[in-house]
Amino acid sequence: MSLQEIKTRIAKAEQEAGRAPGSVTLIAVSKVQPLERVEAVLEEGQRIFGENRVQEAAGKWPAFMERFDGVELHLIGPLQTNKARQAMDLFDAIHSVDRPKLATALARLAQEEGKCPELFIQVNTGEEAQKAGILPAEADAFIAECRGLDLPVKGLMCIPPVEEEPSLHFALLAKIAERNGLAGLSMGMSGDFETAIALGATHVRVGSAIFGDRSYAA
């Protein structure tokens, strides 16, 4: 599917949900994609990209940023505390703030550097043992803790369980965000971004629908 088709579908979903045109940010998820595919999407005019790993992004994006103006990078995968400084220098937004230790590290670095990327708190809406994210019952306290550290919390992020109806998880995330006065909702991927937009998503993370299937190294 072309980038333009995805943008058209986003615009249609915005309209159907009574949302303002352009109120949803498309993050093109470029993790483990061949450089030529990423370059083609850059050539088409896309400037906001999502990466899962700090190391991969550090190896891929500096060269692209020299050639293309206005690139914005979002970290959408888990962040190890020891990679926090590198992540803060490389990314414009981090969608995976998921534990107090990481929040404390980011706050210390923000004080040191005098700047901080926009932050989204990852909520484990499905309460899955293998998945990162703060549990829904602990989200309010963790949001307050992050704000107490002067972190620029823009919103929340979730990745619903594969086998469950995503709308239930999107609705839960929206409810937590609303009661905490957070405007940002990073939710919705290639298969369900229109549903996410209907339920208030401000950022959708679309990879395979734009780039084709991912190429994992053997």
Side-chain angles (χ1 to χ4, degrees):
M1 196 174 294
S2 73
L3 177 65
Q4 194 49 55
E5 281 178 272
I6 297 291
K7 288 182 172 178
T8 300
R9 284 172 61 186
I10 288 172
K12 186 168 181 275
E14 285 173 338
Q15 187 179 13
E16 287 175 356
R19 307 271 302 275
S23 58
V24 177
T25 298
L26 170 61
I27 301 170
V29 180
S30 48
K31 63 179 184 179
V32 301
Q33 290 292 349
L35 295 181
E36 61 271 17
R37 286 191 193 172
V38 179
E39 184 173 7
V41 173
L42 279 160
E43 295 280 8
E44 282 189 78
Q46 177 67 18
R47 287 295 178 269
I48 302 172
F49 291 84
E51 288 285 343
N52 244 38
R53 297 171 63 176
V54 176
Q55 257 356 54
E56 185 188 343
K60 180 190 296 181
W61 282 99
F64 279 140
M65 286 171 164
E66 282 182 20
R67 293 175 50 208
F68 297 94
D69 289 337
V71 169
E72 197 177 292
L73 277 189
H74 292 237
L75 179 65
I76 58 174
L79 176 58
Q80 296 167 279
T81 307
N82 65 353
K83 298 261 175 45
R85 185 184 297 277
Q86 191 180 7
M88 286 185 71
D89 291 340
L90 189 59
F91 292 95
D92 299 281
I94 296 170
H95 291 237
S96 48
V97 180
D98 62 354
R99 60 198 186 280
K101 184 182 177 187
L102 177 59
T104 303
L106 292 171
R108 178 176 52 77
L109 290 166
Q111 291 295 325
E112 261 181 48
E113 298 189 11
K115 61 185 176 67
C116 186
E118 286 187 339
L119 302 177
F120 290 76
I121 290 170
Q122 183 172 352
V123 181
N124 186 351
T125 54
E127 303 188 22
E128 298 173 274
Q130 79 282 11
K131 199 171 277 182
I134 206 86
L135 294 174
E138 296 165 9
D140 294 358
F142 186 56
I143 292 164
E145 183 178 344
C146 290
R147 284 173 163 161
L149 291 166
D150 280 335
L151 289 172
V153 180
K154 181 184 176 71
L156 305 177
M157 183 269 257
C158 76
I159 304 168
V162 174
E163 69 286 353
E164 292 186 21
E165 170 52 53
S167 61
L168 302 173
H169 296 271
F170 299 155
L172 173 60
L173 197 73
K175 196 173 178 181
I176 297 169
E178 184 179 21
R179 70 170 178 250
N180 285 282
L182 289 170
L185 284 170
S186 172
M187 59 190 198
M189 296 187 279
S190 288
D192 55 25
F193 66 84
E194 282 134 326
T195 302
I197 290 168
L199 289 163
T202 57
H203 294 68
V204 295
R205 310 180 304 270
V206 180
S208 55
I210 294 173
F211 293 99
D213 291 334
R214 294 197 184 97
S215 314
Y216 289 99

